[in-house]
Amino acid sequence: QPPGRRCRLTATSPRAVVLIPNWNGAHLLPDCLDALQRQTWTDFQAWVLDNGSTDGSLDLVRERYPEVVACDLGFNGFFAGAVNEGIRRTDSELVILLNNDTEVRRPEWLSQLVGYGRMPGVGAVGARLLYADGRVQHAGMVTEKQPDHHGPDDEDPAQEAA
């Protein structure tokens, strides 16, 4: 692995945490985690949130990916329960949710996602997802807060023109 492209562990929380729910996904995790190691933006930590796997998923993560936090949840909370537990356990500034069957294709994916997520007024960002055959599964999104609304006592240029 090229230096500086692996997840950096520090005494303080990284700016972002990538939460990966997992249940018996040992056959899926290498593609997912290897792609994260190739990211150009490295101020993140990957967490595998294991939902009680019996296929050696946690052993695989601990042996092959020591920089990844392997969380044995001790229960199967499915996707929602796992990510909610991960969110409760982290104090990172940004939380990225990633399925264990996802392989990130571009090394700048995380930097782009974080860049949009840090824009003023943005509350959530979604990436474009493709099926294995290249068809679009999800086109991505950026959610911004609604523009300010004026009350009857506020100055409103539209009201003045009437």
Side-chain angles (χ1 to χ4, degrees):
Q1 295 289 329
R5 290 215 175 169
R6 292 180 64 90
C7 301
R8 288 184 280 152
L9 298 177
T10 62
T12 59
S13 293
R15 183 171 301 157
V17 62
V18 179
L19 301 179
I20 306 165
N22 180 68
W23 182 74
N24 287 335
H27 64 290
L28 300 170
L29 287 170
D31 286 341
C32 180
L33 297 175
D34 289 347
L36 287 178
Q37 290 178 332
R38 293 188 295 269
Q39 292 302 294
T40 57
W41 192 75
T42 60
D43 194 9
F44 75 97
Q45 188 175 62
W47 290 15
V48 172
L49 305 166
D50 194 74
N51 280 314
S53 294
T54 58
D55 69 346
S57 291
L58 286 174
D59 292 335
L60 174 116
V61 172
R62 290 179 181 129
E63 291 169 14
R64 290 182 49 187
Y65 304 94
E67 74 282 0
V68 173
V69 175
C71 299
D72 184 356
L73 299 180
F75 65 93
N76 189 348
F78 303 95
F79 182 88
V83 298
N84 285 336
E85 185 61 27
I87 290 167
R88 275 192 284 278
R89 293 182 186 195
T90 186
D91 60 357
S92 290
E93 179 182 342
L94 299 167
V95 176
I96 293 107
L97 309 180
L98 188 65
N99 287 355
N100 64 351
D101 64 348
T102 304
E103 180 182 351
V104 176
R105 293 182 177 180
R106 296 186 177 168
E108 69 279 358
W109 167 78
L110 192 52
S111 66
Q112 294 294 305
L113 198 68
V114 168
Y116 281 112
R118 296 202 53 161
M119 292 173 69
V122 174
V125 178
R128 180 178 58 172
L129 301 177
L130 303 176
Y131 289 108
D133 65 5
R135 290 180 299 129
V136 174
Q137 178 182 0
H138 184 274
M141 64 177 231
V142 175
T143 302
E144 299 180 48
K145 68 178 184 177
Q146 296 296 314
D148 293 331
H149 296 281
H150 296 280
D153 297 328
D154 295 337
E155 288 184 30
D156 185 351
Q159 293 291 345
E160 293 174 13

